[in-house]
């Protein structure tokens, strides 16, 4: 079988989402790291997907982008040892629902705060109102998740799924800029995620790049 090629970066949250899925499946892939020292990878990415967003997966003549779609392909091509999206339609809807919650309401909301740090570094005006709204949204979604996660091992139950692949990097970076202390179920869930070998491998892969984080990575969060 053709080895999948993944255009990604070890410190990218959405790249880590895909990495975690590949590690869970123990499926080898060729990583084309997207960084200035590797311009060829950037040129190849631009030829595949002009918007330049990543991760992007290439398998033979097939190209896919968006981390969720990459994981969907992986789960279809390699259903063993366990499905990341359940075959049962009702269970699959729950997994996809939580996947979108972690991407859209945790990770993308957290990015508003990070973008303000980038604006500061570039001496551009901050979006103060946008950050206030972002922090309020994170507070609401943290509280909601804390209630939903009560009595669960993973995001939607006892099986590790696509939703958890999304949750791990989302919560990792969100906790850096707007900690979710005071939500014990969410905190306990995050600890379980960090102890998962696939998640730990993704986090450690990004550790050498922590100096890239706008405003600096926190010293009291691992």
């Amino acid at each position: 079988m053709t080895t999948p090629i993944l255009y990604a970066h070890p410190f990218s949250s959405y790249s880590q989402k895909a990495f975690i899925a590949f590690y869970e499946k123990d499926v080898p892939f060729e990583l084309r790291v997207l960084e200035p020292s590797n311009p060829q990878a950037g040129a190849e990415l631009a030829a595949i997907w002009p918007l330049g967003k990543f991760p992007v997966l290439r398998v033979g003549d097939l190209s896919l982008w968006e981390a969720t779609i990459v994981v969907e392909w992986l789960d279809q091509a390699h259903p063993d040892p366990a499905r990341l999206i359940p075959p049962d339609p009702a269970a699959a809807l729950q997994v996809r629902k939580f996947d979108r919650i972690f991407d859209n309401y945790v990770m993308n909301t957290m990015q508003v705060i990070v973008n303000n740090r980038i604006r500061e570094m570039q001496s551009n005006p901050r979006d103060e109102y946008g950050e206030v709204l972002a922090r309020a949204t994170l507070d609401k979604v943290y509280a909601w998740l804390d209630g939903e996660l009560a009595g669960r091992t993973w995001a939607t139950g006892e099986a590790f799924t696509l939703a958890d692949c999304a949750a791990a990097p989302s919560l990792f970076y969100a906790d850096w800029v707007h900690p979710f202390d005071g939500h014990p179920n969410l905190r306990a869930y995050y600890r379980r995620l960090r102890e998962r070998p696939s998640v730990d491998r993704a986090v450690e892969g990004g550790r050498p790049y922590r100096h890239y984080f706008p405003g600096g990575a926190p010293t009291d969060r691992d």
Side-chain angles (χ1 to χ4, degrees):
M1 179 177 287
T2 303
T3 300
I5 297 172
L6 195 63
Y7 295 88
H9 191 281
F11 198 54
S12 154
S13 59
Y14 287 117
S15 296
Q16 289 184 10
K17 177 177 172 178
F19 295 156
I20 290 166
F22 273 96
Y23 299 154
E24 284 287 323
K25 297 284 189 177
D26 196 26
V27 172
F29 63 94
E30 180 182 342
L31 176 61
R32 301 280 175 89
V33 179
L34 297 163
E35 59 182 0
S37 63
N38 189 15
Q40 180 62 34
E44 292 173 12
L45 174 66
I48 297 169
W49 180 221
L51 291 187
K53 300 291 185 180
F54 52 89
V56 165
L57 178 73
R58 194 175 78 203
V59 187
D61 295 330
L62 176 68
S63 296
L64 298 170
W65 42 89
E66 295 295 329
T68 294
I69 304 305
V70 171
V71 177
E72 291 250 13
W73 171 87
L74 180 65
D75 207 40
Q76 291 175 13
H78 301 274
D80 297 327
R83 296 296 298 266
L84 293 172
I85 302 168
D88 175 70
L93 281 178
Q94 290 300 307
V95 167
R96 290 189 173 97
K97 179 181 78 173
F98 273 83
D99 171 67
R100 304 324 302 139
I101 287 166
F102 284 115
D103 277 7
N104 291 329
Y105 302 110
V106 180
M107 178 50 65
N108 289 352
T109 304
M110 181 283 299
Q111 190 63 42
V112 173
I113 302 170
V114 173
N115 287 344
N116 262 346
R117 294 185 178 188
I118 294 172
R119 287 190 180 98
E120 266 189 335
M121 293 165 61
Q122 297 173 342
S123 300
N124 291 322
R126 290 169 52 88
D127 178 8
E128 299 288 357
Y129 182 63
E131 181 163 334
V132 168
L133 291 180
R135 292 186 182 277
T137 297
L138 286 172
D139 285 338
K140 289 177 183 178
V141 76
Y142 289 169
W144 182 83
L145 285 167
D146 195 65
E148 291 291 309
L149 290 166
R152 296 181 188 174
T153 301
W154 303 113
T156 61
E158 294 307 303
F160 189 94
T161 68
L162 163 68
D164 303 293
C165 296
S170 297
L171 293 173
F172 178 81
Y173 288 108
D175 195 40
W176 278 14
V177 300
H178 193 74
F180 42 82
D181 299 325
H183 299 289
N185 295 323
L186 182 57
R187 178 61 66 186
Y189 168 63
Y190 177 67
R191 282 198 297 268
R192 289 192 293 275
L193 285 170
R194 282 292 283 113
E195 292 168 358
R196 187 89 175 180
S198 61
V199 174
D200 185 65
R201 185 176 173 184
V203 170
E204 292 306 312
R207 189 177 291 276
Y209 302 94
R210 290 192 178 189
H211 61 281
Y212 285 174
F213 196 72
T219 58
D220 62 342
R221 291 286 194 273
D222 191 41

